[in-house]
Amino acid sequence: MKIVSVLNYLCVMTIITAVFGVMYGAVQQTYRSGANDPQIQIARDINARLHQGKSVESFLVDTIDITQSLSTFVALYDANGKPIRSSGYLDGKMIQLPAGVFDFAKSHGEHQVTWQPRQDVRMAMVIVSSNASPVGSVASGRSLLEVEVREHNLVTMIFFGWIACIALVLLHAVIGFYKKNKYEIK
């Protein structure tokens, strides 16, 4: 087999790999960014109600253990990032986000992050800056567990699709090699 043929096959396999990589990246980002949609709406709506003069006490009557539930939760923080009220609890305590997320939200109006307070807990969080005293920030979050299951399934599908395409290219190369050698021997 000529070096040009080998390079052609390598080029085709590289293109296949790039296409599958882009497909994975696009779908994974759609899954992950979509995980923020309910929290964006909830945090913005609560911030708007606070600015309309609604009392902090009228929000968040539910109690959600974020290690066990897939429910969306909300937390209100003061200007220093200390929790005032929360529907989400971790180990029986109101969730405490890192100070940096509040600083970023304050300077940009909003911040969307993945928060992992411990190994088995990952949350899609949206933090909206608020100046409706005593609230400095409104945070809303939910578990990424189902998104991570979808991402795992996506990796499996992409991997097997990539393997099938590469196998077809290699099969084509082998058949071409044998056909060429068969005709050269005669």
Side-chain angles (χ1 to χ4, degrees):
M1 190 177 284
K2 293 181 179 178
I3 192 81
V4 172
S5 294
V6 171
L7 288 176
N8 284 339
Y9 284 114
L10 287 175
C11 184
V12 168
M13 289 189 287
T14 301
I15 291 169
I16 288 169
T17 301
V19 167
F20 274 86
V22 168
M23 284 183 347
Y24 169 78
V27 174
Q28 188 274 341
Q29 281 301 299
T30 300
Y31 284 164
R32 180 56 191 88
S33 63
N36 290 335
D37 290 344
Q39 297 89 284
I40 293 169
Q41 179 254 319
I42 291 168
R44 288 179 183 173
D45 287 354
I46 289 176
N47 187 40
R49 284 188 236 148
L50 287 169
H51 279 81
Q52 292 169 354
K54 303 285 185 194
S55 169
V56 171
E57 285 73 33
S58 65
F59 298 112
L60 319 175
V61 293
D62 200 6
T63 302
I64 299 166
D65 178 357
I66 67 170
T67 64
Q68 303 296 316
S69 179
L70 298 176
S71 294
T72 304
F73 60 90
V74 177
L76 305 177
Y77 295 88
D78 67 15
N80 298 317
K82 301 287 183 231
I84 299 170
R85 196 168 183 91
S86 180
S87 63
Y89 286 81
L90 177 63
D91 300 325
K93 298 176 187 165
M94 286 192 281
I95 58 172
Q96 180 61 58
L97 298 172
V101 299
F102 299 111
D103 296 337
F104 187 91
K106 195 175 291 182
S107 64
H108 292 85
E110 187 172 293
H111 193 20
Q112 300 173 18
V113 299
T114 299
W115 176 54
Q116 185 170 351
R118 64 180 196 214
Q119 187 64 31
D120 61 335
V121 179
R122 283 176 41 90
M123 300 288 144
M125 299 292 301
V126 174
I127 299 94
V128 174
S129 181
S130 179
N131 59 358
S133 185
V135 179
S137 297
V138 177
S140 183
R142 72 174 173 155
S143 174
L144 282 170
L145 183 63
E146 289 301 313
V147 170
E148 290 170 343
V149 167
R150 288 185 192 118
E151 287 175 349
H152 174 74
N153 293 340
L154 174 65
V155 167
T156 302
M157 289 186 292
I158 292 288
F159 177 73
F160 284 116
W162 176 80
I163 289 292
C165 288
I166 295 297
L168 287 172
V169 170
L170 292 174
L171 179 64
H172 185 271
V174 168
I175 290 171
F177 175 76
Y178 282 119
K179 279 185 176 180
K180 184 177 183 199
N181 285 342
K182 181 179 175 183
Y183 293 120
E184 286 180 1
I185 293 175
K186 290 183 179 181

